[in-house]
Amino acid sequence: MTEAAKQARGRGGRREVGYGEGRDALLNAAVRVVARGGLRKLTYRAVAEEAGVTHGLVVHHFGSRDALIEEALGYVVRQSLTSSLLEPGTGKPEDFAAGVSAMVETGPDLQAFQYELLLEARRRPDLLPQVRGLYDAYFEASARELSRMLPHEPSPALARLVFAALDGLVLHQLTLGDAANTAAALDELRSLLGRLAADDR
């Protein structure tokens, strides 16, 4: 543990960021910085200030800005896949994506981070591998759950179509704030998947 990490104390009397939790605390701070100001605002100093720690602690954990971006993206994907119930594992249409609306309500910064990265990738092609990796993880989770739901293996196009519907609903709720419309649209999507499963059988 570096001396910087030992001395790191939060702003306004916040407690220290402990060694075991330091990485996640810093990744959370990075997500908030990007959600609020875009990827261009992501610096070691901005993350350190947001987390209430020293600049040296961010350097200690990540070493480079690119490493920070990549790890933050992986962190966001893990959180989103868990909280959205994109892959509940039951194979029941009624369980599919059950947590999507609540995920947006409770973690809007996680979602905003992803959209900020998507937009930045249009200007910075070096970010495209990370963005493709992000969406590949979501497409694969969708495909696995659809394969449990349907009697035949879903095509990659179907998995993309289903996830694209979810992605659009998340973006709409994030920007327009209408959870009721998200819930209604999700019910309709689940109904369509249920009918597709029944027809295939």
Side-chain angles (χ1 to χ4, degrees):
M1 189 64 170
T2 65
E3 189 61 25
K6 292 176 184 176
Q7 294 175 355
R9 294 188 179 275
R11 296 179 294 177
R14 291 182 192 169
R15 62 181 177 79
E16 293 183 18
V17 175
Y19 180 71
E21 65 187 13
R23 258 184 128 65
D24 280 359
L26 294 173
L27 291 172
N28 265 312
V31 166
R32 291 193 301 273
V33 168
V34 173
R36 193 168 55 239
L39 197 62
R40 295 176 184 184
K41 297 290 186 182
L42 185 67
T43 65
Y44 287 144
R45 294 195 184 280
V47 172
E49 183 180 349
E50 180 68 28
V53 301
T54 64
H55 169 267
L57 186 59
V58 186
V59 177
H60 167 75
H61 275 290
F62 302 104
S64 74
R65 184 174 180 271
D66 285 345
L68 175 58
I69 292 170
E70 188 167 345
E71 292 208 37
L73 185 57
Y75 173 78
V76 164
V77 170
R78 291 191 299 274
Q79 296 295 315
S80 293
L81 286 174
T82 299
S83 58
S84 68
L85 293 181
L86 184 60
E87 191 181 0
T90 65
K92 297 178 180 178
E94 59 268 28
D95 295 336
F96 183 64
V100 164
S101 184
M103 175 190 70
V104 181
E105 291 285 312
T106 60
D109 287 351
L110 293 173
Q111 310 314 312
F113 176 91
Q114 295 174 78
Y115 293 121
E116 287 290 344
L117 198 70
L118 284 171
L119 292 172
E120 189 66 20
R122 294 186 70 248
R123 297 181 285 268
R124 287 184 49 192
D126 58 296
L127 290 174
L128 283 174
Q130 290 98 315
V131 169
R132 287 197 177 100
L134 162 71
Y135 272 84
D136 283 346
Y138 289 136
F139 294 148
E140 288 164 9
S142 298
R144 286 191 299 268
E145 192 59 27
L146 288 172
S147 71
R148 296 181 185 103
M149 200 181 302
L150 304 174
H152 62 82
E153 194 66 21
S155 68
L158 178 61
R160 284 175 177 260
L161 176 62
V162 169
F163 180 74
L166 296 175
D167 200 27
L169 291 173
V170 168
L171 179 59
H172 290 172
Q173 186 176 335
L174 184 66
T175 54
L176 303 175
D178 195 338
N181 278 338
T182 301
L186 284 170
D187 284 344
E188 190 65 29
L189 176 61
R190 293 185 195 106
S191 176
L192 289 170
L193 290 173
R195 290 200 293 273
L196 179 61
D199 289 346
D200 285 347
R201 290 191 183 94

